[in-house]
Amino acid sequence: MSEVGSNGGTATQTTIATRGGSKTTIPEEAVDAFDERVQGRLLVPTDPEFEAATRLWNGMIEKSPALVVQPTGTADVADAVNFAREHDLELSVRGGGHNIAGTALADGGFTIDMSELRGVIVDPKAQTVTAQAGCLLRDVDRETQLHGLATPLGFVSETGLAGLTLGGGFGYLTRRFGWTVDNLLEVEIVTADGEVRRASRDENEDLFWAIRGAGHNFGVITSFTFRLHEVGPMVYGGLIAWPFDRADEVLDTYRELTDEGPRELTVFHILRRAPPAPFVPEEWHGKRICAMAVCYTGDLDDVDDALAPIRGLGDPVVDLLQEQPYTQLQSYLDATQPKGNHYYWKTEFASELPDELCSTVRELTEECPIPGAQLVLAHIGGALNERDADDGSVGNRDARFVYGVAGMWEPDEPNEDDYRQWVRDAWERLRPFSTGGNYVNFQTADEGEERVRATYGEHFDRLQESKARYDPENVFRTNRNISPADGDR
Ligand SMILES: Cc1cc2nc3c(=O)[nH]c(=O)nc-3n(C[C@H](O)[C@H](O)[C@H](O)COP(=O)(O)OP(=O)(O)OC[C@H]3O[C@@H](n4cnc5c(N)ncnc54)[C@H](O)[C@@H]3O)c2cc1C
């Protein structure tokens, strides 16, 4: 750690934000004692590693904490939680830093950055994996695929495992195996009182229920154990796209696929302008297209049958569908979402794709002024719909699609305000088709408590009760927050 005081305090103290929104100063001895106790690094803004530890994926959000600790184990995490609570600090927890609302950091506060904790242990016989909470998705897929195993994770490999899992989690395997949290067997967690607990279906069951969907609110998870399934290592998929003037036909085929296709087939439908990527013929750069991101994880002998409706459309302008390793498909879309660009999304869950939703999506694509924006329909229906409504706080078991509008532009974009407004207006036209639920992990910083309530629906009150039990002072509040029942807001 550099000399304390460089973050705005005097030479002998650290000035830092408190939970009440004011500032406090921590004496040098207290910070030094904490620094000596933990094995991991303690960083202040003048340290060379500070910038990397506090850069977020969404470049629209810039926050600078006053202190960052990088634990090397659970004991460091417990010390950090106790330090934050004892000094009443505004605390945040950083996983992969991918959250669009930038909830990994609290401005002027204290951040527990989990990035040093990236161990993964696979038990191929038991078909389980235990992963530390600083893992990115690719860390987990890489190890499990050594054994031809996988658990449902998202489709951009740089995303953090912790943030994704704690809000529910979905990806190409969700149709077969449910939400990511449907595959969660156990966690280790440091709760607000500094205690290290385990939670599973047999131990601290109420905590385990709350963590499976609203997990950012209940402590610092240090490790996750998931059930694994046989997947790959070779699967079939990639991107395929047609001219936008065929949108009606492509959308009809998409609906047919999502009604009748096998669970081993997952297709995300994307309407956008073609990026100037080497795999897109030059004459299509910047032109509107209808694309499908495809993943087929079934028996490769049956792939032609599964993909027949897609192939039947004929004459694509891009066709990158091929047999490839599952890990490659899991990172296929990484380059389309570069770190540091500005991102602004609005999404909902839908249970059907009525004509009117399809025509609205098509019209919005025609009208969209943002060159890098996309209108997305992601198929998730299947296993998640078959579980009990209260199997975990994640709920939303009527959702068969995640859909919405995803705006992206470069940091120096002069039309940023207009673009954001356009996304909000587009969302107003998309909202009528929602189940009423939405995905907590896709909420932007300007979405308030009513959206968090909508995410959890009938589970919200029970979550507030759990919050009152495990975090009555709302120590974990830099997130899509659930305030404790009758407690500190
Ligand atoms: C390009 C991109 C693609 C995406 N694709 C998908 C997808 O396919 N499927 C999907 O489900 N989601 C997807 N997401 C959304 C993703 O789930 C969220 O952005 C998620 O918050 C990312 O987790 P993270 O650890 O990187 O986030 P961070 O920003 O580090 O953290 C997010 C929240 O989790 C909390 N948190 C992090 N670690 C812990 C911990 N150990 N204990 C307690 N709380 C913790 C943080 O405090 C914060 O509130 C995508 C996001 C991006 C940016």
Side-chain angles (χ1 to χ4, degrees):
M1 187 185 72
S2 304
E3 213 173 307
V4 176
S6 51
N7 61 338
T10 70
T12 56
Q13 58 196 18
T14 295
T15 301
I16 190 161
T18 67
R19 272 187 291 137
S22 58
K23 298 255 180 203
T24 188
T25 49
I26 311 178
E28 185 183 20
E29 312 82 69
V31 179
D32 283 350
F34 174 58
D35 195 9
E36 268 165 40
R37 212 163 44 239
V38 293
Q39 285 197 22
R41 278 183 301 212
L42 189 61
L43 305 174
V44 295
T46 47
D47 286 321
E49 302 91 348
F50 186 86
E51 210 264 326
T54 56
R55 205 182 323 121
L56 297 174
W57 169 80
N58 187 357
M60 192 184 284
I61 306 209
E62 284 178 24
K63 293 185 192 170
S64 186
L67 270 184
V68 175
V69 65
Q70 296 182 315
T72 57
T74 303
D76 279 2
V77 174
D79 280 341
V81 169
N82 288 332
F83 180 74
R85 196 192 55 253
E86 281 156 16
H87 293 281
D88 194 28
L89 305 183
E90 182 78 354
L91 173 66
S92 72
V93 185
R94 181 192 164 103
H98 250 242
N99 187 268
I100 189 165
T103 51
L105 302 179
D107 225 5
F110 174 50
T111 297
I112 303 177
D113 168 15
M114 302 293 281
S115 59
E116 295 294 309
L117 294 166
R118 286 173 74 170
V120 179
I121 295 178
V122 180
D123 182 339
K125 268 207 184 125
Q127 299 207 338
T128 62
V129 59
T130 298
Q132 287 185 302
C135 284
L136 305 181
L137 304 188
R138 67 173 139 86
D139 301 331
V140 181
D141 281 335
R142 179 171 149 77
E143 297 296 334
T144 60
Q145 278 293 284
L146 274 181
H147 308 280
L149 298 169
T151 204
L153 298 174
F155 47 81
V156 171
S157 75
E158 295 280 315
T159 310
L161 174 73
L164 176 135
T165 302
L166 296 173
F170 72 91
Y172 290 131
L173 301 181
T174 295
R175 298 201 59 227
R176 294 178 67 185
F177 309 119
W179 297 118
T180 302
V181 284
D182 293 343
N183 297 274
L184 191 59
L185 298 173
E186 186 176 87
V187 295
E188 182 187 77
I189 178 172
V190 178
T191 43
D193 53 7
E195 289 296 313
V196 181
R197 299 169 202 259
R198 301 196 81 80
S200 68
R201 286 181 190 269
D202 307 317
E203 193 176 356
N204 293 312
E205 298 95 308
D206 56 338
L207 183 58
F208 192 58
W209 174 85
I211 284 168
R212 282 177 292 143
H216 322 99
N217 272 278
F218 292 93
V220 185
I221 281 74
T222 50
S223 71
F224 300 87
T225 301
F226 296 97
R227 175 177 298 113
L228 294 171
H229 310 272
E230 287 175 17
V231 173
M234 295 304 284
V235 299
Y236 199 96
L239 268 180
I240 183 164
W242 299 267
F244 179 71
D245 60 16
R246 296 183 63 191
D248 286 340
E249 200 188 340
V250 176
L251 277 161
D252 278 351
T253 301
Y254 185 63
R255 284 196 293 190
E256 183 192 321
L257 270 177
T258 55
D259 278 343
E260 292 162 19
R263 291 224 176 142
E264 288 80 6
L265 178 66
T266 295
V267 183
F268 295 164
H269 188 286
I270 302 159
L271 288 163
R272 58 167 300 156
R273 288 174 191 270
F279 59 81
V280 178
E282 222 174 301
E283 65 272 24
W284 280 96
H285 290 182
K287 297 219 174 85
R288 291 185 182 87
I289 51 166
C290 331
M292 291 185 188
V294 177
C295 177
Y296 175 74
T297 58
D299 187 335
L300 290 173
D301 289 341
D302 299 332
V303 69
D304 288 343
D305 286 346
L307 266 55
I310 299 177
R311 293 274 187 227
L313 279 162
D315 301 325
V317 291
V318 174
D319 183 353
L320 301 168
L321 300 185
Q322 60 175 317
E323 195 175 317
Q324 57 184 300
Y326 176 71
T327 47
Q328 186 174 309
L329 201 60
Q330 282 288 85
S331 56
Y332 205 78
L333 296 177
D334 286 11
T336 65
Q337 310 285 315
K339 187 172 183 170
N341 269 359
H342 287 198
Y343 294 86
Y344 189 70
W345 301 339
K346 294 292 174 193
T347 66
E348 300 287 333
F349 286 132
S351 50
E352 301 297 337
L353 298 179
D355 291 347
E356 226 186 310
L357 170 55
C358 292
S359 56
T360 305
V361 161
R362 199 197 56 229
E363 284 159 25
L364 287 170
T365 310
E366 270 168 348
E367 296 163 22
C368 182
I370 310 168
Q374 32 190 33
L375 274 292
V376 182
L377 305 168
H379 189 200
I380 58 170
L384 77 85
N385 307 117
E386 290 165 354
R387 289 181 171 241
D388 290 344
D390 67 349
D391 189 359
S393 60
V394 61
N396 289 294
R397 296 206 179 269
D398 53 350
R400 288 182 58 237
F401 299 91
V402 185
Y403 74 102
V405 50
M408 171 181 79
W409 47 86
E410 297 202 348
D412 54 0
E413 173 56 56
N415 297 312
E416 171 151 305
D417 288 347
D418 291 344
Y419 284 180
R420 265 202 301 241
Q421 188 56 46
W422 190 87
V423 171
R424 280 192 287 269
D425 292 344
W427 179 41
E428 287 309 322
R429 286 164 61 187
L430 292 167
R431 288 183 87 169
F433 308 99
S434 172
T435 57
N438 71 88
Y439 186 35
V440 73
N441 278 349
F442 284 169
Q443 287 173 10
T444 47
D446 56 0
E447 290 177 50
E449 187 185 296
E450 90 287 356
R451 286 287 279 171
V452 182
R453 278 182 181 273
T455 294
Y456 298 111
E458 59 184 11
H459 294 154
F460 191 80
D461 292 348
R462 182 172 164 193
L463 282 168
Q464 285 197 302
E465 299 293 334
S466 299
K467 181 78 172 175
R469 200 166 317 128
Y470 289 101
D471 184 15
E473 293 168 31
N474 207 359
V475 170
F476 297 99
R477 62 169 68 202
T478 309
N479 44 39
R480 308 315 296 169
N481 197 233
I482 294 163
S483 54
D486 303 323
D488 185 354
R489 300 175 76 83

